[in-house]
Amino acid sequence: MSLEVAVLRMVNHYMINYNYLLVDHISRDALIVDPAWHIDKVEYALYSRAAQLKGILITHAHRDHIDLAKPLSEKYRIPIWISKEEVAASGFDAANIELLNNNTPWVTASMTVEPILTPGHTPGCICFKVGDNLFTGDVLFAEGCGIVPSVEAAYQMYDSIQLLKSRVADSTRIYPGHSYGVTPGQAFSDIKDNNIYLHFRDKESFAGFRLRKTQNKNIFKFN
């Protein structure tokens, strides 16, 4: 697979998100992950690469990850892929929605997309592996992991991180929905070395640390 990952940094007031445009160099087919806020920036990225948008991958249904999903889907008449668990929990709906019912890979836009259900941040969070790249939304950041609303959710997040550790190669590049200082696209081996949330050996200690009172102190200090 000959694939480019274009990193689109989107700013909306105090929020900074990363959208990712995946472009196959041969077919010029493209997918976008978690599009939000600046449709002109998305369309310029497509135009400058002579790429055709073929689909939208949604890691979870928080507003800052779905803001452009419906407008892009309607304009380009393309599907939106999201987990059935996330739709059930969030109520997200769209005309061209396609629910993912399991972790079975599928081929679209000249790419093989492998979904990995990783609940915790939300009940239906999903990561997408495409080639040697993993798009993690708010499940896994280079510097930490997404917020969780309860002990049960923290346990789920712990299990999801363990699943990623068991399934993702060290050389895989990690592209999260937010950054707190580290450039997106770091090797998973580096994140495993430096991210404390990948070092806990049991879910109880993980949950205790993730749910500490100061956990959200710097939540909006994005880069």
Side-chain angles (χ1 to χ4, degrees):
M1 181 187 300
S2 179
L3 179 68
E4 176 190 1
V5 177
V7 178
L8 306 181
R9 184 176 181 270
M10 303 299 199
V11 180
N12 183 36
H13 301 293
Y14 57 83
M15 294 289 291
I16 300 174
N17 276 49
Y18 285 91
N19 302 183
Y20 300 103
L21 187 69
L22 290 58
V23 181
D24 181 271
H25 282 301
I26 297 174
S27 69
R28 313 311 300 173
D29 290 343
L31 300 173
I32 193 165
V33 181
D34 289 353
W37 299 327
H38 302 298
I39 196 168
D40 56 336
K41 197 167 186 177
V42 173
E43 293 187 328
Y44 180 77
L46 289 165
Y47 169 77
S48 64
R49 293 165 174 80
Q52 299 292 320
L53 192 60
K54 299 294 186 180
I56 300 165
L57 304 176
I58 299 297
T59 63
H60 65 293
H62 285 166
R63 186 64 184 175
D64 56 322
H65 293 259
I66 62 169
D67 180 66
L68 290 179
K70 290 182 183 180
L72 287 171
S73 176
E74 291 168 0
K75 180 172 184 177
Y76 292 95
R77 298 181 180 180
I78 55 176
I80 301 170
W81 285 284
I82 187 172
S83 76
K84 64 180 179 60
E85 292 86 354
E86 188 68 4
V87 168
S90 68
F92 176 78
D93 192 19
N96 297 324
I97 198 168
E98 294 198 13
L99 299 181
L100 299 171
N101 294 310
N102 52 47
N103 289 338
T104 302
W106 80 98
V107 177
T108 185
S110 308
M111 306 173 207
T112 298
V113 181
E114 179 184 350
I116 306 174
L117 186 64
T118 47
H121 180 63
T122 67
C125 270
I126 199 163
C127 296
F128 295 100
K129 187 174 183 298
V130 184
D132 295 326
N133 312 287
L134 184 72
F135 303 91
T136 57
D138 287 1
V139 173
L140 180 66
F141 308 131
E143 311 88 344
C145 67
I147 62 172
V148 291
S150 66
V151 172
E152 180 182 1
Y155 289 169
Q156 290 181 323
M157 180 70 88
Y158 175 81
D159 289 339
S160 292
I161 288 175
Q162 300 311 304
L163 177 63
L164 293 179
K165 288 170 66 177
S166 70
R167 292 187 56 171
V168 177
D170 283 351
S171 59
T172 302
R173 297 290 169 178
I174 306 300
Y175 292 95
H178 304 283
S179 169
Y180 295 86
V182 178
T183 304
Q186 299 297 309
F188 192 39
S189 58
D190 292 335
I191 292 177
K192 286 198 295 185
D193 285 344
N194 298 308
N195 187 330
I196 190 173
Y197 288 99
L198 278 71
H199 293 183
F200 288 95
R201 296 186 178 183
D202 62 84
K203 61 185 179 182
E204 289 79 15
S205 57
F206 175 93
F209 186 76
R210 191 63 191 91
L211 292 168
R212 67 198 187 280
K213 291 182 179 180
T214 59
Q215 67 159 333
N216 298 329
K217 183 178 180 180
N218 298 317
I219 186 173
F220 295 125
K221 292 187 177 180
F222 302 123
N223 285 279

